[in-house]
């Protein structure tokens, strides 16, 4: 690892240098493992590099009418082919604009225009106003293109639909600095993030490569340093856990949503155990968290009990877990570390890359929730309670209407994150909140409340309204808060709910509001007539009775179907939902939202989708995800597929 970084820092610091130096050191290990048609597929590093050259040859032909250094958009889900095509685009002499594969068609078109991309490579047959290539239809031969002039920029986008540009450009020099920033991690964590014996290190790719976190911490670091990346079949909890056990995964990097979901599942599992076993498991958790001694824990402190328990989760090969993308709750840290898995907190953002991760091999330090020390060549400074960062890895430009603008740094070269930070005397750092008006969901996505709110401007009967992130169950729930201009009757309320539902259903999943409240008082404003959102959040925490929730779920009708068939399918769906959410069937409402009303999350939702597909032998397309919110929604989808 050290030799590779030294060679990289001594090079011209181009993307070609990154590729070639990685290739020189990583010829004999498997780089990717995945499943295809229930068969395990393995790709060696040597084969991977050859594939990059072969795809580069094809892209050189396909993109021959695109000028050198123009942007080519890449919109694909995680796979070995994403990695190959990323390099092939650069090898063909073009820059890469990375787009989230779950972005709506409208959002994708906006990003293409904003980034001035001249072509797009996607794993779906979508139509755009620029040259489009389906990655699955690229035919390769033995012809290879070994280029001496790579593209020199890669651009990332954050969520959002309007306002200032949120496309950030990293030069090849920035990316080299990002790789080099990890070079001292082994000094503080010899058995953790980067093991000395690299041959048995296997990292599961859960975070999308389109996210700066997944791109840096999974794809960039672990391919350059010669590790193995495992791709699960899906992001359902079943597939993630099965993949971890089957392929002896040692590392998983995820967003808090993954860890919160796992912690919730463990808590629900414990509740179903006998009182005696519950006490033993609680001792097991306390022992691993350093709260009680082995003598006090008894059998719960043994390796046997640990192996038995972990066998039902990710297996017993895990040696390092990381949470990043947004804040994580102390309860989740306690539960995951308590079952013997070292879950560490990290920090980064689209504008700066990955800048720190807790690596101290001490559970008591992990449980504090620190984001660790800044990485090599990264400087943290707290100014007016705000975390500011200085580093050569920070983005070089912003793309605004296709034109590069300078990055937003202060006179000392620091980037102001908008996060409230605290640093102790050891230089460990904590994030305490946000200064910016941004909601960061537990899946790591940035949501901009004012943008979402702008769509609700013409709602009837409304005096004032706003969209805020309300702290509910250790997460920020995007909520629409309204005050009424007058008392409304049932008919008017129904009209209001319908209009809110129509607008909300038009959003991609990431933008949807999760809850709607009528605030009993008038919404507070400042002298500029801007709504004081922080006061609303404080009021919600102090006086929740002043917030009356509206259900924005519309009833689903089954009049055109056989009622016996409807009942049969409904019972099956309810049983599946009950099992996955650990909620008794008689407490499930057919029109309750799986996530906001029944306590589900994105990972349990993916598990639900996977189970329903198998149960009813159907395929649920990605574009339907945002429309399936309730048991009745799923029942209707199954019925329509049958008839």
């Amino acid at each position: 690892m050290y030799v590779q970084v030294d060679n990289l820092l001594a090079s011209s610091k181009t993307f070609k240098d990154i590729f070639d130096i990685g290739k020189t050191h990583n010829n004999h290990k498997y780089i990717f493992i995945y499943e295809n048609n229930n068969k395990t597929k393995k790709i060696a590093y040597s084969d991977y590099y050859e594939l990059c050259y072969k795809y580069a040859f094809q892209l050189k032909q396909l993109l021959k009418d695109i000028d050198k250094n123009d942007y080519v958009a890449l919109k694909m889900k995680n796979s070995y082919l994403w990695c190959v095509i990323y390099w092939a685009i650069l090898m063909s002499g073009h820059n890469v604009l990375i787009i989230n594969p779950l972005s709506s068609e409208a959002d994708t078109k906006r990003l293409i225009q904003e980034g001035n991309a001249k072509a797009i490579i996607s794993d779906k047959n979508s139509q755009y106003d620029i040259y489009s290539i389906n990655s699955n239809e690229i035919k390769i031969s033995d012809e290879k293109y070994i280029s001496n002039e790579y593209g020199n920029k890669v651009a990332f986008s954050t969520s959002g639909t309007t306002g200032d540009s949120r496309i950030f450009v990293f030069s090849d020099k920035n990316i080299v600095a990002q790789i080099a920033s990890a070079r001292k991690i082994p000094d503080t964590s010899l058995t953790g993030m980067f093991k000395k014996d690299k041959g048995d290190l296997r990292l599961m790719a859960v975070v999308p490569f389109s996210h700066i976190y997944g791109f840096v911490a999974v794809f960039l670091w672990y391919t350059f340093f010669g590790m193995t990346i495992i791709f699960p079949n899906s992001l359902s909890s079943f597939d993630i856990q099965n993949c971890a056990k089957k392929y002896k995964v040692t590392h998983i990097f995820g967003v808090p949503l993954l860890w919160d979901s796992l912690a919730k599942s463990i808590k629900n599992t414990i509740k179903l155990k006998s009182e005696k076993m519950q006490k033993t498991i609680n001792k097991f958790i306390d022992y691993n968290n350093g709260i009680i001694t082995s003598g006090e824990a008894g059998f719960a402190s043994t390796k046997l009990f640990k192996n038995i328990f972990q066998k039902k989760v990710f297996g017993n090969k895990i040696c390092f877990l990381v949470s990043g993308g947004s804040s994580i709750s102390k309860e989740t840290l306690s539960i995951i570390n308590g079952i013997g898995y070292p879950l560490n907190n990290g920090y980064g953002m689209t504008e700066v890359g990955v800048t720190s991760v807790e690596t101290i091999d001490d559970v008591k330090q992990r449980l504090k929730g620190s984001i660790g020390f800044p990485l090599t060549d990264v400087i943290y400074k707290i100014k007016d309670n705000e975390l500011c960062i200085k580093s050569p890895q920070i983005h070089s430009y912003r793309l605004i209407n296709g034109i590069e603008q300078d990055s937003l740094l202060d006179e000392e070269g620091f980037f102001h994150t908008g996060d409230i930070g605290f640093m102790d005397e050891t230089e460990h750092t904590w994030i305490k909140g946000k200064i910016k008006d941004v909601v960061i969901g537990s899946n790591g996505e940035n949501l901009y409340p004012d943008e979402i709110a702008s769509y609700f401007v013409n709602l009837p009967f409304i005096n004032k309204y706003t969209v805020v992130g309300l702290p509910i169950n250790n997460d920020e729930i995007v909520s629409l808060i309204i005050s009424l201009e007058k008392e409304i009757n049932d008919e008017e309320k129904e009209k209001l709910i319908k209009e809110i539902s129509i607008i909300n259903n038009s959003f991609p999943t990431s933008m949807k509001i999760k809850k709607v409240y009528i605030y009993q008082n008038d919404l507070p404003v400042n002298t500029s007539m801007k709504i004081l959102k922080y006061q609303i959040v404080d009021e919600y925490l102090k006086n929740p009775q002043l917030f009356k929730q509206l259900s924005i779920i519309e009833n689903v009708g089954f009049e055109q179907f056989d009622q016996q068939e409807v009942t049969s399918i409904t019972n099956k769906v309810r049983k599946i939902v009950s099992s996955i959410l650990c909620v008794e069937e008689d407490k499930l409402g057919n029109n309750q939202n799986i996530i906001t009303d029944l306590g589900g999350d994105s990972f349990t939702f993916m598990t639900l989708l996977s189970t329903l597909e198998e149960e009813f032998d159907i395929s649920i397309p990605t574009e339907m995800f945002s429309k399936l919110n309730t048991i009745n929604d799923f029942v209707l989808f199954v019925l329509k597929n049958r008839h």
Side-chain angles (χ1 to χ4, degrees):
M1 174 176 176
Y2 300 102
V3 174
Q4 284 167 264
V5 174
D6 288 343
N7 290 343
L8 184 59
L9 291 175
S11 72
S12 300
K13 300 180 182 177
T14 65
F15 281 119
K16 177 174 170 50
D17 292 319
I18 296 173
F19 188 85
D20 288 348
I21 291 170
K23 180 174 180 291
T24 300
H25 290 270
N26 304 327
N27 280 330
H28 303 294
K29 302 178 181 68
Y30 287 117
I31 182 171
F32 301 122
I33 298 177
Y34 64 100
E35 288 189 1
N36 186 18
N37 295 325
N38 295 319
K39 293 183 179 179
T40 299
K41 302 289 185 180
K42 297 181 178 180
I43 298 177
Y45 269 90
S46 55
D47 295 331
Y48 166 63
Y49 295 125
E50 290 295 295
L51 280 173
C52 291
Y53 291 137
K54 290 178 180 180
Y55 272 88
F57 178 84
Q58 296 301 322
L59 290 189
K60 187 70 175 176
Q61 314 306 311
L62 293 170
L63 300 172
K64 64 181 184 299
D65 295 326
I66 308 297
D67 289 341
K68 179 183 174 182
N69 290 328
D70 275 343
Y71 281 96
V72 174
L74 176 60
K75 184 185 179 184
M76 295 172 57
K77 64 182 181 180
N78 279 12
S79 69
Y80 81 89
L81 194 54
W82 188 102
C83 307
V84 169
I85 290 179
Y86 167 80
W87 282 115
I89 293 172
L90 290 171
M91 289 176 176
S92 69
H94 300 96
N95 297 326
V96 187
L97 170 62
I98 297 177
I99 297 178
N100 190 325
L102 297 181
S103 293
S104 67
E105 191 167 311
D107 203 32
T108 301
K109 288 180 177 178
R110 180 189 66 80
L111 290 170
I112 287 171
Q113 181 178 5
E114 192 71 24
N116 197 25
K118 302 301 183 184
I120 182 170
I121 301 176
S122 172
D123 49 14
K124 292 185 178 179
N125 285 317
S126 300
Q127 295 300 315
Y128 300 102
D129 296 332
I130 58 175
Y131 181 43
S132 301
I133 300 171
N134 187 318
S135 60
N136 300 308
E137 296 174 358
I138 301 175
K139 305 298 182 184
I140 61 170
S141 63
D142 289 333
E143 297 281 356
K144 296 184 288 187
Y145 179 64
I146 302 178
S147 172
N148 288 319
E149 294 188 29
Y150 286 42
N152 58 12
K153 294 169 188 169
V154 56
F156 294 86
S157 63
T158 62
S159 306
T161 56
T162 62
D164 293 338
S165 168
R166 296 189 180 95
I167 298 179
F168 301 95
V169 179
F170 292 79
S171 70
D172 45 11
K173 306 296 185 291
N174 298 143
I175 298 301
V176 167
Q178 177 72 87
I179 293 174
S181 70
R183 63 187 180 273
K184 292 184 180 179
I185 288 178
D187 296 340
T188 57
S189 184
L190 293 176
T191 59
M193 193 165 177
F194 297 111
K195 294 177 67 178
K196 277 187 173 180
D197 179 10
K198 299 185 297 184
D200 64 352
L201 193 158
R202 296 185 170 195
L203 174 69
M204 190 192 304
V206 177
V207 184
F209 294 155
S210 57
H211 194 293
I212 194 75
Y213 175 24
F215 176 83
V216 171
V218 182
F219 164 64
L220 193 63
W221 280 345
Y222 280 76
T223 57
F224 181 79
F225 294 129
M227 318 301 185
T228 301
I229 295 177
I230 315 289
F231 294 104
N233 284 330
S234 77
L235 293 182
S236 74
S237 57
F238 290 155
D239 281 341
I240 289 175
Q241 289 180 258
N242 288 339
C243 179
K245 289 180 281 191
K246 181 175 182 179
Y247 295 109
K248 298 181 168 119
V249 168
T250 60
H251 290 54
I252 304 175
F253 297 170
V255 294
L257 185 62
L258 170 63
W259 311 120
D260 289 342
S261 177
L262 178 61
K264 184 190 299 182
S265 175
I266 292 169
K267 285 169 59 180
N268 288 334
T269 300
I270 294 173
K271 289 178 183 177
L272 299 176
K273 302 294 183 181
S274 67
E275 185 176 347
K276 182 179 179 180
M277 180 55 69
Q278 286 185 39
K279 290 181 178 179
T280 302
I281 295 174
N282 287 331
K283 286 182 179 180
F284 172 59
I285 292 174
D286 286 346
Y287 169 71
N288 285 314
N289 282 334
I291 297 173
I292 61 176
T293 66
S294 59
E296 293 171 311
F299 177 57
S301 69
T302 64
K303 187 174 181 180
L304 174 61
F305 187 83
K306 180 179 180 180
N307 286 340
I308 292 172
F309 196 95
Q310 291 185 346
K311 186 178 180 180
K312 298 179 181 180
V313 189
F314 290 142
N316 59 8
K317 296 296 182 182
I318 295 294
C319 62
F320 203 80
L321 306 176
V322 178
S323 179
S326 63
S327 60
I328 187 169
S329 73
K330 289 188 176 181
E331 181 184 29
T332 294
L333 280 172
S334 175
I335 291 174
I336 307 302
N337 278 282
I339 63 172
Y341 291 143
L343 176 59
N344 301 265
N345 203 13
Y347 181 82
M349 57 194 304
T350 304
E351 298 92 326
V352 301
V354 176
T355 56
S356 68
V357 62
E358 180 61 80
T359 56
I360 301 298
D361 294 325
D362 179 1
V363 67
K364 292 183 179 179
Q365 180 62 42
R366 289 197 295 270
L367 293 178
K368 293 178 181 178
S370 160
I371 59 173
F373 303 112
L375 299 177
T376 305
D377 298 326
V378 175
I379 300 173
Y380 280 179
K381 179 177 71 172
I382 306 299
K383 183 177 181 180
D384 297 329
N385 294 322
E386 181 179 14
L387 175 63
C388 301
I389 301 175
K390 186 176 184 179
S391 172
Q393 72 186 48
I394 293 175
H395 72 280
S396 291
Y397 310 99
R398 296 168 295 146
L399 275 178
I400 300 178
N401 295 325
I403 300 173
E404 291 181 348
Q405 306 284 339
D406 289 340
S407 58
L408 297 175
L409 304 180
D410 66 18
E411 63 279 0
E412 297 179 274
F414 280 89
F415 180 83
H416 292 240
T417 65
D419 287 319
I420 300 170
F422 165 75
M423 189 181 298
D424 68 11
E425 63 281 359
T426 69
E427 293 193 354
H428 271 88
T429 305
W430 283 262
I431 301 300
K432 298 296 185 181
K434 291 184 298 296
I435 296 171
K436 295 179 180 178
D437 185 20
V438 179
V439 173
I440 302 180
S442 58
N443 64 350
E445 286 292 319
N446 293 357
L447 301 172
Y448 299 88
D450 286 345
E451 296 179 8
I452 298 171
S454 66
Y455 290 88
F456 296 97
V457 65
N458 293 318
L459 289 177
F461 319 120
I462 298 299
N463 178 26
K464 296 186 184 75
Y465 75 101
T466 190
V467 172
V468 299
L470 292 180
I472 301 174
N473 296 329
N474 298 316
D475 198 1
E476 280 190 291
I477 302 300
V478 181
S479 305
L480 174 65
I481 314 294
I482 59 180
S483 61
L484 300 174
E485 60 185 6
K486 65 180 184 69
E487 288 290 329
I488 57 176
N489 56 36
D490 290 343
E491 184 179 342
E492 290 170 330
K493 182 186 295 184
E494 186 177 336
K495 180 180 179 180
L496 175 61
I497 291 172
K498 183 176 181 180
E499 296 217 11
I500 294 173
S501 298
I502 290 172
I503 296 168
N504 202 43
N505 289 334
S506 70
F507 292 159
T509 304
S510 62
M511 279 183 62
K512 284 183 181 295
I513 55 170
K514 302 301 188 293
K515 291 184 181 292
V516 179
Y517 294 95
I518 295 178
Y519 181 50
Q520 302 302 304
N521 300 328
D522 196 19
L523 293 178
V525 296
N526 62 16
T527 55
S528 300
M529 296 306 293
K530 290 185 178 180
I531 293 175
L532 299 171
K533 297 185 180 184
Y534 72 92
Q535 285 193 13
I536 295 172
V537 174
D538 287 345
E539 185 78 345
Y540 175 81
L541 293 173
K542 295 175 182 176
N543 300 299
Q545 71 279 5
L546 296 178
F547 294 77
K548 183 178 180 182
Q549 186 174 354
L550 288 181
S551 172
I552 54 175
I553 301 300
E554 296 182 88
N555 290 328
V556 178
F558 302 103
E559 294 80 6
Q560 70 271 40
F561 300 105
D562 177 75
Q563 291 306 302
Q564 188 173 351
E565 183 181 19
V566 172
T567 301
S568 173
I569 294 173
T570 301
N571 289 339
K572 289 181 180 179
V573 173
R574 285 173 62 83
K575 189 175 292 294
I576 291 171
V577 172
S578 170
S579 173
I580 292 174
L581 295 182
C582 296
V583 177
E584 296 176 18
E585 283 190 58
D586 59 4
K587 294 183 179 178
L588 294 175
N590 289 352
N591 278 318
Q592 286 181 299
N593 188 290
I594 298 294
I595 293 177
T596 59
D597 296 325
L598 298 176
D601 52 46
S602 293
F603 285 94
T604 51
F605 182 74
M606 293 300 294
T607 303
L608 177 59
L609 292 178
S610 177
T611 307
L612 290 171
E613 286 182 329
E614 183 175 348
E615 172 69 27
F616 296 104
D617 191 25
I618 58 176
S619 177
I620 303 175
T622 304
E623 57 267 22
M624 284 298 300
F625 289 3
S626 63
K627 300 176 182 178
L628 300 174
N629 301 299
T630 67
I631 290 175
N632 276 346
D633 290 338
F634 284 111
V635 172
L636 185 60
F637 182 81
V638 173
L639 287 166
K640 287 183 176 179
N641 268 266
R642 285 188 174 183
H643 298 281

